[in-house]
Amino acid sequence: MCVTSVYYSVLVNSDRVGLIIPGRGLRENLVEVTNLMNILTTYTEATGQEINLSKSEVFFSRNLSGPTQEDLARLMGVKHVLGTGMYLGLPSMIDRSKKALFSFIKDRIWKRINTWSGRSLSRARKEVMIKSVLQSIPAYIMSVYLISDGVVNDIERMLNSFW
């Protein structure tokens, strides 16, 4: 019906010898990690910039077993993360629920609006605050990621209500 596993046997002088089960394991990953670390060493030697491995993180595919991921991270000397962290103020991995992931943008804008709501600001001051502060909050994030229409609409509603 479908192939669920693959294995090979070898004929030597017309005799079947052993059962070979192909696969990618730690041995292949060790070669790749060694190559990666050699590239980083070459970069360090060429530029004079040293990579701080204690501040570095690695994220692996789900196709690699957990113990193997931990072993490789230990060999590299970096921290193994699940891809849920932030880097330069942005999420390091994007999953399917973008609206929930980018809700921190709406929170930042809402906090700014709440600090100004108690003040009696003229229309001109509100316009300056919206254009110079509130619209700049999502600008950096939008230059890196495509934000969902729902998040953009929510931000527009907040700005309109403040205006």
Side-chain angles (χ1 to χ4, degrees):
M1 302 234 337
C2 68
V3 176
T4 58
S5 64
V6 176
Y7 60 90
Y8 304 99
S9 59
V10 180
L11 294 176
V12 177
N13 296 331
S14 300
D15 294 327
R16 183 179 290 178
V17 178
L19 181 67
I20 301 171
I21 300 173
R24 292 182 54 89
L26 190 56
R27 187 172 6 130
E28 290 83 6
N29 285 305
L30 286 174
V31 171
E32 293 169 3
V33 166
T34 303
N35 289 339
L36 176 64
M37 298 310 287
N38 288 338
I39 290 169
L40 294 177
T41 302
T42 303
Y43 173 82
T44 300
E45 292 168 356
T47 63
Q49 298 176 342
E50 189 170 340
I51 297 167
N52 189 343
L53 294 176
S54 65
K55 289 184 179 180
S56 299
E57 298 175 343
V58 66
F59 172 76
F60 294 103
S61 165
R62 284 183 237 152
N63 297 335
L64 202 59
S65 71
T68 303
Q69 291 179 14
E70 294 300 326
D71 289 342
L72 293 175
R74 191 173 14 80
L75 288 171
M76 293 171 69
V78 297
K79 184 170 44 169
H80 175 231
V81 295
L82 300 176
T84 56
M86 301 285 273
Y87 180 71
L88 297 177
L90 298 175
S92 59
M93 297 295 286
I94 303 296
D95 60 359
R96 293 185 182 170
S97 95
K98 290 183 181 178
K99 188 166 185 171
L101 183 66
F102 290 116
S103 65
F104 72 94
I105 303 169
K106 297 187 301 186
D107 293 340
R108 287 183 192 170
I109 292 172
W110 187 249
K111 285 178 186 175
R112 289 291 178 118
I113 289 174
N114 281 336
T115 59
W116 299 333
S117 293
R119 302 178 187 172
S120 57
L121 300 174
S122 66
R123 286 266 205 210
R125 283 190 173 178
K126 283 185 177 184
E127 181 181 2
V128 168
M129 294 296 211
I130 288 172
K131 288 183 177 179
S132 65
V133 178
L134 297 179
Q135 287 180 340
S136 68
I137 292 172
Y140 168 63
I141 298 156
M142 291 172 86
S143 71
V144 178
Y145 295 116
L146 183 62
I147 297 177
S148 68
D149 290 339
V151 173
V152 172
N153 292 335
D154 291 346
I155 291 171
E156 284 180 355
R157 273 191 232 107
M158 288 190 297
L159 298 181
N160 291 340
S161 69
F162 176 65
W163 174 249

